[in-house]
Amino acid sequence: MSNLPIQDWLLSDEPTSRRQAKLSRLFKGWVAFQTNVLAMIGLGILLLLIFVAVFAPLLAPHDPFVQNLGNRLQPIGSDQHIFGTDSLGRDILSRLIFGARITLYIVVLVAIIAPVVGLLVGTVSGYIGGVVDMILMRITDVFLAFPRLVLALAFVAVLGAGIENAVIAISLTAWPPYARIARAETLTIRSSDYICAIRLQGAGPLRIITKHIWPLCISSLIIRVTLDMAGIILVAAGLGFLGLGAQPPSPEWGAMISEGRRFILDSWWVATIPGLAIFAVSLAFNLLGDGLRDVLDPKSGRS
Amino acid sequence: MLCIDNLWVKFPTSQGLFEAVRGISFSLSHERLGIVGESGSGKSLTGRAILRLIRHPAIVKANYITFHEQNVLDLKEKEMRKIRGRRISMVMQDPKFSLNPVMTIGSQIIEAYRQHNQASYKVAFRNALEMLEAVLIHDPERVMRCYPHEVSGGMGQRIMIAMMLIPNPEVLIADEPTSALDVSVQRQVMKILDNLVTERGMGLILISHDLNLVSEFCDRILIMYAGRIVEVCDAAKLRQASHPYTQGLLNSLPRLSERVPRLTVLQRDINWTEAASVRG
Amino acid sequence: MEGQQLAFLKILSKAITTFISIAITMLGLLLVTFVIGRVMPIDPVLAIVGERASQATYDAVYNELGLDKPILVQFSYYIWDVLHGDFGDSLLNARPVSEDIARVFPATLELATLGILLGVILGTPLGVISAVRQGSWIDQVARFIALVGYSMPIFWLGLMGLLIFYGILGWVGGPGRLDIFFEDIIPVRTGMILVDSIIAQNGVVFRNALSHIILPASLLGYYSMAYITRMTRSFMLEQLSSEYILTARIKGLSERQVIWGHAFKNIRVQLITVIALSYASLLEGSVLTEIIFSWPGIGSYVTTALLSADMNAVLGGTVVIGLIFVCLNILSDLLYGIFDPRSK
């Protein structure tokens, strides 16, 4: 098997520039990742989710909001409606496709907000130490002391039901573990010799935190975020199911299950199909997270 | 008593089979046999292979490993368990890791005794006390109640020796028994071990990287290099060893008797790896 | 002896710091619920007096609730009340929230306890076996179970269970704790129907209650089993590769003695922590499970209260669940100290 020049360049043992070293590491990680079949399946499902979400209007056979009471609760596999219709005669497949947008929206927003808050709290706490550290860590502990869903419920109660508020509530409950991780990393990095060297060169705390500590915290945070995404999807779906997330008629998957619940014994598919969609996406994140952990963090091993 | 013929130990790795022990043969009678070699030379694996303690996925092969004319490779696992501890036993490197941290020392020694002797708890307890006294522990009653983390390294290793000798085995394999200990107690522990072994007329296989130690406490020495035995010699005649590797090892040790301006660095020869294994 | 005195002082100071840190955590917990209560867009006075009350009545209730006082004083009132088990009155049925919680809590306790029992009984051996036979089919099955458990929405799995085992197969009782004609037959002692029916020696009610609880309990049990199996497996793998295991084998012990007598003894402490955490997370899982199975526990209580904007009930329920969470954490810490000789 002959390698392309670009592969040789990427696999070189003696990189000639920082960029080559960086790209080479990424490429080697990717090669290792590719051999993990389950992780690739996870990645595939997520790419499909993104594709479906982006091209939803083109892919959906029907308008997800148009009701047709004469056509309600059509069974699975009927003409024009592969996955049947719900209690208001809306096409389930189309709702599923548009629901992918909502799922992606929630996941992306939480994945941006929570780790950033956690990173800020954790690094500041770990770097400054002392009283600040104590106070911040106490606050973190308090948030960890609540079960996630219950706290999210309480927050939604304050903020009011709705998809943006659900995102905020989930983020508020999701940041503490990231703060813990970031703090632990900061504590080890802070006392290392090269940070001393940088400090001797005259770098201030802001520069040290943003340029030298954050980049090193990122990889462990990414793994954790990916593994947490599954849980976040489940909490979001749970809020939707309880009627506290996305409001009708929005085709949020959890809310769709809640709708179908009333007809579960007669028209089982109405609740079953969106549940399978949630399961597939959250499984995908779990598989991807496991795979990423193996590549990025070999020392933790398979658990 | 113990004969090993053409022993191989291989590990599957991503780059194919790695051969850690490559066809060694030796025998042991009622004597003290030293196996010397650097780390990675396969000496520890040899000890474990005799007890059939090398687990999947590693592969152990030999023409035979006989113990009293019986090939242990043919034994069923259940029969093998009657040999382990009872007839061939083994002391490992670091008592910090080789004693169970959540069981008292007493219960671990008593377990070793009762595994092979039909005895009441009381009898076993008394035997354990005697055994601890035999390894020069002065307040055995207190030590029996201790947990491993509550005793020092030197005492831990004496406890380990007591535990492994209490079923009264015929062969003891000591795998680097003193290298994890403070220099000050190494000799003391080795003396205790040596006395017990000679008193009971047991066979000893002492695995070590320490030439001085082995030449002091053994009758015969096998020198291992890269999974093979490169030389066999009497401990007393170690200085006259002929193989360049042994010579190199000897020369890289500091000596009090001679003034050496600079210790020699061991020069390796690729041919040593390929040369046939010497029978020991 | 001086050494003993020193050891005693050490334990004492450790106990005091632990106590302080618990107290601070609890205080913080109350602060969170207090703040949530204050920023609620619902006017608590209006909720009590109603729309048409006069300004005078409004002011009287306003003062009675202590809303005219500085915020810190209000917070201290709040703590005082909570310490006395007073979470205020439910805005919905005007009864004290604490009474409501005491009434619904046994249902949750019964469900969660049965769930954790199933999880521990199945999860622990499965975890141990899959560690011992790493890579075997049973290990793959365990891994699959865990993966599915982590990825499936619990309320959906509950619905599917209801559909299959109740709707199609008819093997189990449906939603609720009892069939309607069995209700109020046996006297309430503990509030847990299984226990109460045993006390009343009523086999029929017991069987009926069991047929109702078995599905939701299995559901919760499945989730805790997934977690316990995974953790047990990784703990055992760590122990099995350690050197004292080799020592045990050298002694001539059988595999069973090595695994259960030596390795398992070393993971007991970690396992207790995992079980405590898992028990606490069942409280969370029970919120959605209770809704699906119309189970009148604290989870459905809080959710119903939430949907009808009954703030006192929501906060009361949240505080109780939070406190149980903290207590279980403390309990597992304490057990750690008792069972691990190294921590003394």
Side-chain angles (χ1 to χ4, degrees), chain C residues 164 241 248:
Chain C
I164 294 168
S241 64

Side-chain angles (χ1 to χ4, degrees), chain A:
Chain A
M1 195 180 79
S2 71
N3 282 348
L4 298 167
I6 179 84
Q7 274 180 329
D8 283 335
W9 184 75
L10 283 170
L11 290 171
S12 157
D13 286 332
E14 291 145 4
T16 49
S17 67
R18 270 181 67 174
R19 199 169 55 126
Q20 186 185 356
K22 218 179 230 170
L23 287 174
S24 157
R25 215 181 49 227
L26 276 178
F27 182 70
K28 281 176 187 159
W30 169 241
V31 168
F33 183 78
Q34 268 182 316
T35 60
N36 187 334
V37 179
L38 287 175
M40 288 305 283
I41 292 176
L43 187 64
I45 296 176
L46 293 180
L47 289 177
L48 185 71
L49 175 79
I50 294 171
F51 176 79
V52 167
V54 170
F55 296 105
L58 299 177
L59 293 170
H62 297 272
D63 186 317
F65 301 107
V66 167
Q67 306 180 1
N68 182 356
L69 289 178
N71 205 16
R72 67 196 291 263
L73 297 175
Q74 289 293 315
I76 201 161
S78 52
D79 287 348
Q80 311 226 342
H81 304 287
I82 302 176
F83 287 154
T85 57
D86 67 7
S87 58
L88 297 171
R90 295 172 296 196
D91 180 48
I92 292 181
L93 177 63
S94 306
R95 290 179 68 72
L96 213 55
I97 290 173
F98 275 87
R101 291 187 154 188
I102 301 173
T103 303
L104 207 59
Y105 178 77
I106 296 175
V107 165
V108 169
L109 276 186
V110 175
I112 292 172
I113 300 173
V116 168
V117 173
L119 191 65
L120 273 173
V121 173
T123 42
V124 166
S125 175
Y127 191 82
I128 297 177
V131 184
V132 177
D133 182 34
M134 227 185 70
I135 293 172
L136 286 178
M137 279 303 113
R138 271 298 135 218
I139 295 174
T140 314
D141 278 352
V142 168
F143 275 84
L144 279 175
F146 282 102
R148 200 161 183 182
L149 183 67
V150 175
L151 189 60
L153 284 180
F155 280 129
V156 172
V158 175
L159 301 164
I163 188 163
E164 279 81 12
N165 291 341
V167 167
I168 296 172
I170 295 170
S171 304
L172 278 173
T173 60
W175 66 270
Y178 303 118
R180 282 281 185 81
I181 294 172
R183 176 174 175 269
E185 296 264 342
T186 309
L187 285 179
T188 26
I189 299 167
R190 188 182 67 168
S191 50
S192 58
D193 287 344
Y194 74 89
I195 293 291
C196 286
I198 296 160
R199 201 176 290 145
L200 285 174
Q201 285 169 6
L206 195 67
R207 193 184 161 77
I208 293 178
I209 289 181
T210 53
K211 291 268 171 176
H212 297 276
I213 292 181
W214 281 2
L216 288 168
C217 295
I218 295 290
S219 83
S220 45
L221 280 184
I222 287 179
I223 299 168
R224 185 65 202 245
V225 168
T226 321
L227 284 170
D228 276 1
M229 275 308 122
I232 285 165
I233 289 174
L234 296 185
V235 174
L239 286 177
F241 176 76
L242 293 173
L244 297 166
Q247 293 301 298
S250 137
E252 201 270 328
W253 293 346
M256 284 170 75
I257 297 179
S258 162
E259 246 167 55
R261 184 186 159 211
R262 283 178 293 153
F263 314 101
I264 184 74
L265 294 181
D266 307 314
S267 313
W268 53 271
W269 58 90
V270 183
T272 307
I273 303 284
L276 283 174
I278 299 172
F279 174 54
V281 173
S282 123
L283 184 70
F285 272 112
N286 273 327
L287 293 175
L288 185 69
D290 276 345
L292 276 182
R293 187 181 48 201
D294 290 349
V295 172
L296 293 178
D297 189 15
K299 60 181 183 290
S300 77
R302 307 195 67 83
S303 66

